[in-house]
Amino acid sequence: MLTSGGDAPGMNAAVRAVVRMGIKSGFHVIGIERGYAGLLENEMRDMHLRSVSDILQRGGTVLYSARCPEFKEEWNIARAKEICEGAGIEALVTIGGDGTFRGALELTRRGLPCIGVPGTIDNDIAASQYTVGFDTAINTVVQMVDRVRDTSQSHDRCSVIEVMGRHSGHIALYAGIACGALAILVPEIPFNLERDVITKMVATLRTGKQHFIVMLAEGVGSAVDIAEKIESLTGIETQPVVLGHVQRGGSPTALERVVASAMGHHAVELIAEGKSGRVVVQRDGRVTDLPIEEALSMSKTIDMDLYRIAGDISI
């Protein structure tokens, strides 16, 4: 198995489940370090029951991770298949996002059975209602913003919080509601600064509100630029806060550990059943699976009902 792309809290819980369930099912489990990049460099180690002791509560991934644009090249995919054959690898569990699944699909097409497990804090895998890492990420954002709110309130400031989400606004939306943000700006929905932020600030000032939180997904723009515009238009001191990679770290939440464990367990069950080319997903509250091709063909947008709720109660 390998973890690929951006790391996400809960990946270790999935790794642990794959190792424990794999050994219980009679498999010899090999950990590939640094994702597809490590696979191309033959960076592997045997995994046993105690290899995954005391990792459930740790963020990141004990197998390390990396992005590997080289894996889009045909000859590298063929080389990876040969390396797996040389190492006696008969099936592969890949934990990551869309890019990880595309690599798994190519290997499956070349005869190496692969099962994907969705691990990304952005929660942007369309096939799954939940992806490993999302719950911890939004809880981390909430904890950070609660601290920012204390100083924002003390000085009657506006704080523009920039969170991860280049193409996806799920973190911004959920954290924005949980933090009571005045406005939530996401890539999926075009916005007008004066209409969606300034007008709301002026209206709430009249009702006695003195400090403000604006939640911004990074794909919308720069918190620095937007903070400058807000301050120039309102005269209210406005501070940008870019949370950055702190959102990827930290001990995974209980929900994260449970879902990741169930997904890792299901991945091994699929391998034991002789299935391949599948992505493990959570749908309607249960863990199931779909063909990789179908999963990759699906698109996901933010929950518009939640977005409407956020707008209705941020007054």
Side-chain angles (χ1 to χ4, degrees):
M1 74 181 137
L2 58 80
T3 53
S4 179
D7 64 292
M11 279 185 166
N12 281 331
V15 168
R16 175 178 177 269
V18 170
V19 171
R20 296 275 174 87
M21 183 59 180
I23 292 172
K24 184 177 186 295
S25 302
F27 296 118
H28 174 204
V29 184
I30 296 173
I32 300 168
E33 297 185 345
R34 297 178 179 84
Y36 292 120
L39 173 55
L40 292 173
E41 296 298 325
N42 210 0
E43 296 181 14
M44 304 181 187
R45 55 185 162 103
D46 291 336
M47 306 292 286
H48 50 81
L49 292 176
R50 301 285 75 83
S51 297
V52 290
S53 294
D54 299 320
I55 69 168
L56 193 63
Q57 74 280 10
R58 292 167 55 186
T61 162
V62 294
L63 290 179
Y64 311 108
S65 190
R67 303 190 189 277
C68 185
E70 296 84 3
F71 210 72
K72 296 176 183 178
E73 300 170 7
E74 174 68 30
W75 74 277
N76 275 325
I77 298 170
R79 182 163 148 253
K81 170 77 177 343
E82 291 177 2
I83 291 171
C84 287
E85 289 176 343
I89 294 174
E90 298 175 299
L92 186 63
V93 175
T94 64
I95 305 170
D98 274 347
T100 303
F101 297 161
R102 293 185 193 282
L105 177 59
E106 293 301 324
L107 289 172
T108 297
R109 285 172 173 168
R110 286 159 180 78
L112 179 65
C114 292
I115 303 295
V117 173
T120 167
I121 66 170
D122 291 324
N123 199 34
D124 58 352
I125 302 298
S128 186
Q129 293 170 334
Y130 183 82
T131 64
V132 174
F134 179 60
D135 188 61
T136 306
I138 58 176
N139 274 281
T140 298
V141 171
V142 169
Q143 291 167 13
M144 297 299 102
V145 175
D146 284 350
R147 288 161 172 76
V148 170
R149 180 188 293 279
D150 290 342
T151 187
S152 183
Q153 182 177 19
S154 297
H155 296 275
D156 293 338
R157 287 176 180 156
C158 173
S159 295
V160 179
I161 314 293
E162 182 180 317
V163 299
M164 286 185 168
R166 192 165 298 146
H167 306 292
S168 168
H170 298 285
I171 293 176
L173 176 59
Y174 278 74
I177 293 175
C179 295
L182 174 79
I184 301 171
L185 309 179
V186 296
E188 295 88 343
I189 301 176
F191 79 97
N192 177 283
L193 186 65
E194 292 202 29
R195 179 194 66 208
D196 299 323
V197 180
I198 305 303
T199 300
K200 291 185 73 172
M201 287 181 68
V202 172
T204 55
L205 276 169
R206 295 195 187 105
T207 64
K209 189 173 181 66
Q210 298 297 322
H211 64 282
F212 310 90
I213 298 292
V214 174
M215 192 68 68
L216 167 73
E218 63 182 330
V220 172
S222 163
V224 175
D225 294 340
I226 290 177
E228 288 178 354
K229 291 176 183 176
I230 291 174
E231 185 165 330
S232 68
L233 290 170
T234 64
I236 296 171
E237 182 182 358
T238 304
Q239 297 288 334
V241 180
V242 181
L243 294 184
H245 282 79
V246 67
Q247 295 159 85
R248 289 199 181 279
S251 181
T253 61
L255 173 64
E256 209 81 80
R257 302 179 200 192
V258 172
V259 175
S261 296
M263 285 183 166
H265 182 275
H266 189 67
V268 177
E269 285 185 323
L270 291 173
I271 291 172
E273 292 168 5
K275 296 180 180 179
S276 68
R278 311 288 294 182
V279 172
V280 178
V281 298
Q282 186 189 63
R283 310 193 86 178
D284 300 322
R286 67 188 187 92
V287 173
T288 183
D289 54 274
L290 293 171
I292 294 179
E293 295 98 326
E294 182 180 344
L296 288 172
S297 70
M298 300 170 74
S299 59
K300 186 176 188 178
T301 186
I302 62 169
D303 187 328
M304 292 305 298
D305 285 337
L306 271 183
Y307 188 80
R308 177 182 55 81
I309 290 168
D312 288 345
I313 62 179
S314 61
I315 56 176

